[in-house]
Amino acid sequence: MKFGFDIDDTLIGLREHAFHIYQRKLNQQVEQEKFDQLDRVEIHELFSMNDQEGKQMWEDSLEEIYFTNCPLYPGALETIQQLEERGHEIYYITARPKQHGEQTKAWLRENGFPVLDSHFFYGMKDNEKVEIIQHLDLDYYVDDKPGVLDTLAKTNTNLLIKDQSYNRNFKSFPRIIDWHDFLQNKMPDNQF
């Protein structure tokens, strides 16, 4: 079978990692609870920044956010490794910018993820991710963004959403809260 995965906020906690970096860089302490309840992907409003300031802060911090010690979600790595050990094809499809693609691939490998060059796609907008996913004819795809998954709803791909505060009102797809449960409980027929 073919399994596709988004990376940021699906396999790794990138937003929360950025949240902690922003606190340090801006010397501002924001309650974790406020982050946990944020109903949008962008985090800058927690630091009293407007969208333009937030975009600039994100761009100025991107290297540090992407390539420092961003935590993996518990069980995500083990799930991917088990799928690969069982002979399934693993694809990574990320909207990370082109200039960060090769370094992202290396970072994933350094952290133990099985990555084949031909199964790693990056440097596209969310709508372009959809085209790649359809072209690959994936059996399963996991992402955190409702807009990406919603666009794929009429395909044959089994879609799952990684639970985040900003997607909790989206009820259309099975939800991954704990990666440890992915292989046992979330997959139809447990055929892999």
Side-chain angles (χ1 to χ4, degrees), residues 31-85:
E31 295 173 25
Q32 181 73 34
E33 184 177 317
K34 289 184 178 181
F35 171 81
D36 293 340
Q37 295 173 352
L38 194 60
D39 63 358
R40 64 185 288 199
V41 174
E42 297 81 7
I43 63 171
H44 58 267
E45 68 185 44
L46 296 173
F47 299 92
S48 301
M49 288 185 268
N50 63 34
D51 287 349
Q52 184 177 353
E53 293 167 331
K55 183 176 190 246
Q56 190 62 53
M57 179 70 175
W58 181 261
E59 289 174 1
D60 291 346
S61 306
L62 212 50
E63 287 282 329
E64 184 175 4
I65 293 168
Y66 280 167
F67 303 116
T68 54
N69 57 345
C70 181
L72 311 178
Y73 285 121
L77 175 60
E78 296 84 357
T79 297
I80 303 289
Q81 289 173 334
Q82 285 180 32
L83 287 169
E84 197 243 357
E85 287 169 8

Side-chain angles (χ1 to χ4, degrees), residues 7 92-105 117 120-125 132:
I7 298 170
Y92 303 91
I93 302 129
T94 179
R96 282 194 180 190
K98 286 185 193 267
Q99 66 267 29
H100 299 291
E102 292 303 314
Q103 192 174 355
T104 297
K105 191 188 316 175
D117 288 341
F120 187 81
F121 299 87
Y122 61 93
M124 78 285 296
K125 304 281 185 217
I132 290 169

Side-chain angles (χ1 to χ4, degrees), residues 5 10-11 73-76 79 142 162 176-182:
F5 299 92
T10 299
L11 298 175
Y73 285 121
T79 297
V142 183
K162 173 61 178 88
I176 296 172
I177 295 172
D178 185 338
W179 275 106
H180 291 105
D181 296 334
F182 182 80

Side-chain angles (χ1 to χ4, degrees), residues 9-10 15 73 144 162-168 175:
D9 296 313
T10 299
R15 284 175 65 250
Y73 285 121
D144 61 299
K162 173 61 178 88
D163 184 63
Q164 297 294 345
S165 60
Y166 52 86
N167 68 27
R168 295 211 173 111
R175 183 169 295 273

